Amino acid sequence: MSDTPEKSDDKSVDLADLDGSVEPETLRRVLQNLSLACVIADYSSWEILFENATFFQWFPPKGDRDGLLTERLPDLNQAKAEERLKKWRPISFEAETKPGGREIPLEIELRPLPGDDGTLCIVECRDIAKRRQAEYMLESYSHMAEKNARDLRREKERVEKLLLNIMPRSVYEEMKDYGTVTPQRFDDASILMLDFVDFTEMAVSRDPSALISELNDIFTSFDRIVELFGCERIKTIGDAYMAVSGLPEANPEHAQNAARAGLRMRRYIERRNTAHTEAWRCRIGIHSGPVVGSIIGIQKYVYDIFGPGVNMAARLEVQSEPMQITVSETTYNLIKDEFRLVDRGKFEVKGFGTQRLFSLETEIAMGR
């Protein structure tokens, strides 16, 4: 009789063979009490040689038979797993199980484990619910931060748009960069003042909502006109509209710009009156001279201009007849070669004494 022991066909794993320094029963108890699911299998047949209680709970067998690992883990890609394990490379994937109806997300990893024939692998299944929750919270915070950033950007754009409606861009940029604006004197500027004839009576006799809606439409068109001709709208007060050319950037054509804007405003009103039952009539005054521009206010900002030039333009507007543009002699001397003007004679202008005034009719080059 041979002394060589016969090789058994039983493939069940003797845990004592895995680590001789630990008692088999102790090692078994350790594996059975792990919070992660643990399996030792033969990937040549996918027969399960050992499984702990957690794996049995998460992936219970169907029926009486224990079932192969590929049956217990339906998400396992058998071909890919065999290919990687044969190359002594691990493979991992994510799956879900529902023991007792509770859904548990899992990370499953298979690693080669040396055995008698080199086809053993150990399978570990970890509960990643907390990690998923952390990832979800991180993603939610990320989306929230992105949304807040978008909202902040939109609010910044809205505030910028509002501020640009009440001050020139260069003034806004200075205030944004330095938190304040230095008052500036502009020696070469032209101021345009406009208001409407009998607006007070219109406000009393007409529907307020309709009247303000019409005034808003008109002023919106004026804004486009002054921008088109290189002017800045400074402010509106009731039915009064004030614009200026030559600031905050110097412009040698400031008087011509103001004159063209005034002519286009008047033409817009004339054309509008032909399409509406209610007629609007405006008076316009234009004067060229030095002004000072600055931000006024701390909590409520407004950009305004000051000086005799502003007062003179307001006086000229009062001296105008309905649908007439009156300019000072100073402005006349700056634009007389490009525009047709009519001498209105001398007038007593409050605060400025006797002044020669001119009526602006058309632009010679454009015939308007």
Side-chain angles (χ1 to χ4, degrees):
M1 179 180 291
S2 174
D3 295 334
T4 304
E6 294 184 4
K7 186 174 181 180
S8 173
D9 292 332
D10 183 9
K11 282 195 171 184
S12 62
V13 173
D14 186 349
L15 296 179
D17 294 338
L18 299 179
D19 191 341
S21 63
V22 181
E23 290 293 331
E25 188 57 33
T26 301
L27 182 59
R28 182 181 296 274
R29 284 200 305 271
V30 170
L31 293 176
Q32 289 292 1
N33 285 280
L34 288 175
S35 60
L36 58 81
C38 181
V39 171
I40 297 175
D42 184 341
Y43 64 82
S44 65
S45 62
W46 295 109
E47 180 183 355
I48 295 175
L49 308 180
F50 169 82
E51 64 180 291
N52 69 356
T54 305
F55 185 83
F56 188 89
Q57 178 187 359
W58 285 353
F59 299 99
K62 296 180 180 179
D64 296 334
R65 56 191 300 270
D66 291 341
L68 302 177
L69 183 64
T70 50
E71 296 172 349
R72 304 275 289 277
L73 291 178
D75 293 321
L76 174 63
N77 186 325
Q78 180 177 339
K80 186 176 180 180
E82 289 178 359
E83 179 184 356
R84 293 184 65 88
L85 291 170
K86 286 177 180 178
K87 296 178 180 179
W88 291 89
R89 297 173 62 186
I91 180 172
S92 61
F93 60 95
E94 292 186 0
E96 291 181 349
T97 183
K98 297 182 179 180
R102 183 174 68 91
E103 188 174 280
I104 302 176
L106 300 173
E107 181 182 59
I108 301 175
E109 183 180 35
L110 287 77
R111 298 194 310 274
L113 184 68
D116 292 340
D117 52 8
T119 60
L120 297 184
C121 68
I122 183 169
V123 183
E124 295 179 2
C125 308
R126 298 181 180 86
D127 184 345
I128 58 173
K130 290 185 178 179
R131 191 182 79 183
R132 285 273 185 90
Q133 185 179 14
E135 290 173 349
Y136 174 77
M137 291 178 64
L138 182 61
E139 185 178 3
S140 297
Y141 289 145
S142 176
H143 288 326
M144 187 182 301
E146 291 176 3
K147 180 180 182 299
N148 290 339
R150 289 194 301 269
D151 292 343
L152 183 61
R153 185 167 56 251
R154 282 196 293 266
E155 183 64 17
K156 181 181 177 182
E157 292 171 354
R158 187 184 72 84
V159 170
E160 179 177 306
K161 185 176 180 180
L162 289 174
L163 290 174
L164 289 176
N165 281 334
I166 61 174
M167 67 184 70
R169 177 171 288 278
S170 61
V171 176
Y172 165 74
E173 294 293 342
E174 182 181 353
M175 187 179 71
K176 184 177 67 173
D177 293 339
Y178 303 104
T180 185
V181 174
T182 305
Q184 287 183 277
R185 176 186 170 94
F186 303 93
D187 291 321
D188 299 307
S190 291
I191 306 95
L192 179 150
M193 296 288 294
L194 174 149
D195 80 345
F196 291 100
V197 180
D198 298 329
F199 182 80
T200 302
E201 288 73 12
M202 293 169 62
V204 173
S205 61
R206 295 179 55 183
D207 174 59
S209 297
L211 180 66
I212 298 304
S213 177
E214 288 186 55
L215 185 63
N216 181 65
D217 290 343
I218 293 171
F219 280 174
T220 300
S221 298
F222 285 177
D223 287 344
R224 298 192 188 101
I225 291 171
V226 298
E227 183 179 0
L228 177 65
F229 290 105
C231 302
E232 287 280 352
R233 191 275 293 272
I234 298 300
K235 62 182 176 181
T236 63
I237 304 175
D239 65 320
Y241 187 99
M242 181 168 72
V244 64
S245 181
L247 65 90
E249 287 82 25
N251 190 331
E253 296 286 312
H254 59 89
Q256 290 82 351
N257 289 343
R260 293 186 182 105
L263 289 170
R264 182 62 66 88
M265 288 175 173
R266 184 174 67 181
R267 191 173 77 168
Y268 168 78
I269 294 299
E270 291 171 344
R271 294 179 63 181
R272 190 181 191 284
N273 287 341
T274 62
H276 291 75
T277 57
E278 300 290 342
W280 291 71
R281 296 181 301 163
C282 65
R283 292 185 295 239
I284 300 175
I286 300 175
H287 174 67
S288 302
V291 296
V292 173
S294 180
I295 288 286
I296 302 299
I298 297 176
Q299 292 181 325
K300 295 184 178 180
Y301 296 110
V302 61
Y303 183 79
D304 210 345
I305 57 176
F306 311 90
V310 178
N311 297 334
M312 183 62 174
R315 300 286 190 268
L316 296 179
E317 174 263 308
V318 174
Q319 292 286 350
S320 295
E321 298 295 329
M323 301 301 286
Q324 185 178 51
I325 304 172
T326 298
V327 304
S328 66
E329 190 169 6
T330 305
T331 304
Y332 166 80
N333 290 328
L334 293 172
I335 67 173
K336 61 183 179 180
D337 295 331
E338 301 173 51
F339 295 83
R340 186 165 67 85
L341 299 104
V342 175
D343 188 346
R344 294 186 59 193
K346 293 184 178 182
F347 290 78
E348 189 67 26
V349 179
K350 182 180 178 181
F352 295 91
T354 302
Q355 299 285 330
R356 182 176 294 278
L357 307 182
F358 298 83
S359 175
L360 176 61
E361 303 296 324
T362 61
E363 185 177 359
I364 296 173
M366 302 300 294
R368 58 185 182 188

